[in-house]
Amino acid sequence: MKIVSGDVTYAVEIAGNGEPIVCLHGFTGNRDTWDFLVPMLQDRYSLIMVDIIGHGETMAPDDFQRYGMEQVAKDLKHILETLKLRKAHILGYSMGGRLALAFSCLYPEYVHTLMLESSSPGLKTEEEREHRRGNDAKLAKRILEHGMEAFVEQWENIPLFETQKRLSTDIQTAIRQQRLANTPIGLSNSLLGMGTGNQPSYWENLETLDFPVLLVTGELDEKFCHIAEMMQSRLKNVEWKKINDVGHAIHVEDGQKFGKIINGFLKRN
């Protein structure tokens, strides 16, 4: 399904019947990220899987400012309105989690529950954001200059994804193909427009969120476990699940356990 928001056409896939869950993938991913959840949830829930701007089959505009977090959150609101949905569960992983949280802070009336996998509310200080913007700009330039193959080779070897090297060759190949299916301009502008250095900080908004929030982190991902611990102290209605022996992408490293956690949280809320 194609849904137009302003000047951007989004690719959206819907599977299952029941309460809607909006599913938002991470950087370099696409809506196929969530295919494994469909058989687990489709009898009770309708999974609305979105290719985020610059990824998958959604458009990749040339102007990086169109990728701004608040603009993309507004696009998400338009997608829900187009589907005639007044409320939904929101699930996001990493970059998609930052978008899910931004959407939830800006449009809380649309949110039934929020589920964040390895996600953050952004960087707290302008100094941190400025430093990150510099690093993201360098990486964005490298993607454009050297192309997808070289970038993906580098990206899959960063420390954040070290634990994925324990996965089977087939799974690692599938992840690589998913990353390679994106475009240099889409990923470059995603970094420049909605990277952690460019998004607003939502730390101060956490205390205002009244709906149930689930935080899921892998115990081997120490950085995001620390972030989740700080988030937990600010959220009113929160569960935090730390999963043993996995890293950043819990849904890839232990999809069955991740699905059970999501299913359990949804049933309780």
Side-chain angles (χ1 to χ4, degrees):
M1 174 187 294
K2 302 291 187 185
I3 296 178
V4 179
S5 180
D7 55 346
V8 176
T9 301
Y10 278 81
V12 180
E13 184 176 347
I14 301 175
N17 294 287
E19 293 181 28
I21 309 171
V22 176
C23 303
L24 303 168
H25 61 79
F27 179 64
T28 76
N30 61 34
R31 64 187 189 272
D32 295 348
T33 293
W34 306 110
D35 284 352
F36 78 99
L37 271 184
V38 173
M40 299 185 203
L41 301 178
Q42 64 184 349
D43 292 341
R44 296 187 58 200
Y45 302 97
S46 175
L47 283 75
I48 300 162
M49 299 167 281
V50 181
D51 279 346
I52 296 172
I53 189 171
H55 291 74
E57 295 178 352
T58 289
M59 285 174 61
D62 290 335
D63 181 4
F64 77 86
Q65 293 182 338
R66 181 59 181 85
Y67 296 64
M69 188 63 80
E70 293 184 353
Q71 276 193 277
V72 180
K74 189 177 179 182
D75 291 337
L76 203 53
K77 178 170 90 80
H78 179 76
I79 289 170
L80 287 180
E81 289 170 345
T82 301
L83 296 172
K84 296 183 167 47
L85 297 174
R86 297 178 64 184
K87 243 181 173 47
H89 303 280
I90 313 293
L91 166 64
Y93 159 62
S94 201
M95 176 192 78
R98 291 189 289 109
L99 174 58
L101 181 55
F103 176 81
S104 299
C105 291
L106 293 166
Y107 306 107
E109 67 275 15
Y110 284 84
V111 181
H112 188 56
T113 68
L114 174 63
M115 298 166 281
L116 301 175
E117 176 192 1
S118 306
S119 301
S120 91
L123 297 167
K124 289 183 177 179
T125 69
E126 179 53 34
E127 185 180 11
E128 288 175 295
R129 287 192 290 275
E130 185 178 357
H131 178 71
R132 181 60 179 266
R133 281 196 296 272
N135 288 338
D136 284 348
K138 289 175 188 172
L139 182 55
K141 184 180 179 186
R142 204 151 53 235
I143 295 170
L144 291 177
E145 289 180 349
H146 299 290
M148 291 299 299
E149 291 273 359
F151 163 67
V152 169
E153 177 72 26
Q154 174 194 355
W155 187 249
E156 62 191 8
N157 283 294
I158 66 173
L160 195 65
F161 302 126
E162 184 64 30
T163 52
Q164 291 186 19
K165 292 181 179 174
R166 303 180 301 178
L167 297 169
S168 71
T169 303
D170 286 350
I171 293 174
Q172 290 188 60
T173 300
I175 294 168
R176 184 177 301 123
Q177 292 307 314
Q178 187 184 50
R179 288 168 171 159
L180 286 169
N182 292 300
T183 64
I185 190 67
L187 295 189
S188 174
N189 281 346
S190 180
L191 282 169
L192 295 174
M194 64 187 298
T196 313
N198 270 299
Q199 77 159 71
S201 169
Y202 292 104
W203 281 99
E204 298 304 319
N205 300 75
L206 296 181
E207 292 161 16
T208 69
L209 303 182
D210 292 320
F211 40 74
V213 179
L214 172 68
L215 307 176
V216 187
T217 57
E219 70 161 345
L220 304 179
D221 184 6
E222 293 180 6
K223 174 184 174 181
F224 280 86
C225 286
H226 178 61
I227 290 170
E229 186 175 17
M230 291 191 292
M231 291 175 71
Q232 183 185 41
S233 69
R234 295 190 179 214
L235 289 159
K236 295 176 187 173
N237 186 356
V238 61
E239 291 182 38
W240 175 25
K241 301 289 187 184
K242 184 159 64 170
I243 313 306
N244 293 338
D245 199 36
V246 294
H248 191 66
I250 303 113
H251 69 278
V252 173
E253 296 180 47
D254 197 338
Q256 286 297 314
K257 184 171 285 187
F258 182 82
K260 284 179 183 175
I261 289 167
I262 295 299
N263 199 15
F265 176 78
L266 290 168
K267 283 181 179 176
R268 290 191 294 277
N269 296 284

